[in-house]
Amino acid sequence: MSHRIVECVPNFSEGRDMAKIKVITDAIEAVAGIRLLDVDPGADTNRTVVTFVGGPDQVVEAAFQAVKTAAQVLDMASHHGAHPRMGATDVCPFVPVEGVTLEECAELARRLGERVGRELELPVYLYEQAASRPERANLAVVRKGEYEGLAEKLKDPQWAPDFGPARFSPRAGALITGAREFLVAYNITLNSRDKAHATDIAFELREKGRVARRNQTSAFYSSGRELVYDGRTYPCGNCDFDGASFQEVEQHCKESHGYDLRRLLSLNGIDSSAGVIGRKVYKAGLFTHCKAIGWYVDSYKRAQLSINLTDYKVTPPQAVLEATRRMAADRGLVVTGSEIVGLVPFQALFNAGRFYLKQQGKSPFVPVPDVLENAVFSMGLADVAPFEIEKKVLGLPRKLDHALVDLTCAELVDEVSRDTPAPGGGSIAALAGALGAGLASMVANLAQGRTRSAQAEADLLAAAEQGQRLKDQLMLAVDDDTNAFNAYMDARRLPQASAAEKAEREARMQDGLKLAVAVPWGTAKACFEVIRAAQLAMQSGNPASITDAMVGAQMGFAGLRGGIWNVLINLKDITDPAFNADLRGRCAQLLADAAALLEATLAHGDGKLAAMLEKKN
Ligand SMILES: [Zn+2]
């Protein structure tokens, strides 16, 4: 089952009249499948930032409805505010959250832009990841001249819009849309009320870096003497190197410290091509895609590093936290915890949890809730405010909130035994596979760190990872199988009074049957992987776990056979001969492969078991 979530963060040029904003957010919420997460108005900026999430298609539809509504209810001709802006919907970025790439989000921006241009006849510019040419990537450049300069800008062929007419629309202005990575707002809390303590570390972290110094009198970097390009020497800000020329120090920074000095200076507002004599020397921060300052938060009575991570895939929060912990310790400070402001994508927290499990020498391939809990504990995310995973994490895996898997084991067995056709063999096949996958993961996790070769270690990690993934997938199939069966039953209950109704019912039943077939076929294929994972875990696992792995393999095979039987029994009612022939062929092949794999796995296990008994006697 695909699980795809996109975030959309349109900014509207209205921050005072909340009735107008309500009309726009109502249009967004009217689209099925959309969740409105936040509405953040600013009176000074006269601007409102709206955040919503949903599947890719729904998000584009909601964004279009929002742009359309904003063009109707807002009037740029009378708009004043402190923030740069060019249109009623000023910017509208699409952001990947789960199961979607940045490039796919850029495509969503193009879809929105094309439709806004065509149906609303507004000029549209694309920026950042969706930009049509490099010079349009930077939002500030695209928005230069703002709404007031837009009429002139549209006359310039260089600034022909990416979509829509090059015609000035006095009410709505222009739309700027694009794609960017998720912005993680992340604060790290110190055991101090001194903002300067937080600032000292923040400046070490941020991409922009800080003014370089030498001769520190304490552990705090800010206690040193500021360096200036005095025309005689060109000091490197990071080490004791002094260049004889700017070119020399530029090359040194590239080779010894891996950064572009000209770019660093320009981030600090210094144009090095205009000469640097008399300007301060800067040193680069530890992380790219990282903005950070220090501040004091009165309600916590603590100083914090306030950090924006603009690409958590490159600069993840746990890396920034660990660097901060080291630097805090050097300065006699303690990091008491950290805080995620707003929401965090599932992958960001999940990766952090796995990182800390590895640090602890534990297998990172344990159940998802355990990984997330480990992230919360390791990062101290509940230090200054409660951290509720359900509320703070975007794109959690599909929740197992269905009837069957929430039952206790005893209740489930009772439910199976009742005189209703579902849950039946299909669900039980999936459950058997899930149990087998769990055993494979267990055997692999138990042996990690105790093997003699790197290859065995890699095999165990792979088996644990596959075991977890297959277990989660098959647990969903326990309920999916029953639900797929229900869909077919629903179709059977459709009216059949007229010929048209009969044809419709038959078509829906055929669809229901093909769906009912897809679930057990998925179960069978996943169960084949379960046998393989059990085999892999057994080969490098502890001798004491041999029988666990063999039970896992056997359960995988039971699930596979069950899945195939459920495919075949549903095929008898499907009237599409090509579909039937194809699937029967694939079932036969999978069963033959699985039987051979199981036999080899069990022979290997039984052989080891026999050898262990032999030794004993
Ligand atoms: Zn250096």
Side-chain angles (χ1 to χ4, degrees), residues 551-588:
V551 174
Q554 189 70 60
M555 292 296 273
F557 189 73
L560 181 140
R561 282 222 85 156
I564 287 177
W565 280 324
N566 275 278
V567 170
L568 296 178
I569 195 160
N570 287 326
L571 284 187
K572 75 178 168 40
D573 296 319
I574 292 180
T575 52
D576 178 346
F579 182 88
N580 287 355
D582 174 55
L583 212 46
R584 287 178 75 156
R586 287 202 274 167
C587 282

Side-chain angles (χ1 to χ4, degrees), residues 216-393:
Q216 269 70 17
T217 57
S218 77
F220 290 90
Y221 190 82
S222 52
S223 68
R225 173 180 57 83
E226 283 190 0
L227 293 180
V228 174
Y229 296 111
D230 61 10
R232 287 175 293 113
T233 59
Y234 293 81
C236 162
N238 308 275
C239 66
D240 289 337
F241 177 86
D242 284 319
S245 66
F246 184 76
Q247 285 68 28
E248 200 180 356
V249 73
E250 187 183 7
Q251 195 172 351
H252 165 83
C253 286
K254 180 114 251 161
E255 286 167 4
S256 300
H257 306 292
Y259 66 86
D260 179 346
L261 179 60
R262 286 179 188 272
R263 184 177 133 72
L264 175 69
L265 292 176
S266 94
L267 285 174
N268 285 287
I270 298 173
D271 176 7
S272 49
S273 63
V276 295
I277 292 173
R279 308 303 296 258
K280 288 174 181 174
V281 178
Y282 282 80
K283 68 168 203 149
L286 283 174
F287 297 104
T288 62
H289 304 90
C290 175
K291 296 171 184 171
I293 57 163
W295 68 19
Y296 171 70
V297 183
D298 198 39
S299 52
Y300 305 152
K301 303 277 182 245
R302 234 86 66 77
Q304 279 191 327
L305 288 78
S306 170
I307 302 161
N308 274 339
L309 300 174
T310 53
D311 189 344
Y312 70 85
K313 290 162 191 161
V314 178
T315 300
Q318 67 273 17
V320 175
L321 176 61
E322 288 312 299
T324 303
R325 281 176 169 157
R326 284 192 297 275
M327 285 190 279
D330 290 345
R331 289 161 170 78
L333 295 166
V334 171
V335 169
T336 63
S338 63
E339 179 187 26
I340 283 164
V341 182
L343 299 167
V344 62
F346 166 73
Q347 283 300 333
L349 196 65
F350 189 66
N351 292 343
R354 284 191 161 176
F355 166 82
Y356 284 108
L357 284 166
K358 279 187 207 157
Q359 293 286 103
Q360 296 158 19
K362 304 291 283 184
S363 167
F365 303 113
V366 294
V368 168
D370 299 11
V371 176
L372 296 181
E373 183 182 69
N374 198 276
V376 175
F377 288 157
S378 303
M379 299 169 83
L381 289 175
D383 178 36
V384 290
F387 188 90
E388 292 174 64
I389 287 173
E390 292 287 328
K391 286 186 186 161
K392 295 289 283 185
V393 182

Side-chain angles (χ1 to χ4, degrees), residues 187-207:
N187 297 340
I188 298 176
T189 315
L190 298 177
N191 66 334
S192 165
R193 294 191 186 201
D194 190 344
K195 172 186 157 181
H197 286 170
T199 302
D200 197 58
I201 299 174
F203 284 4
E204 293 287 318
L205 300 174
R206 63 179 190 178
E207 181 165 20

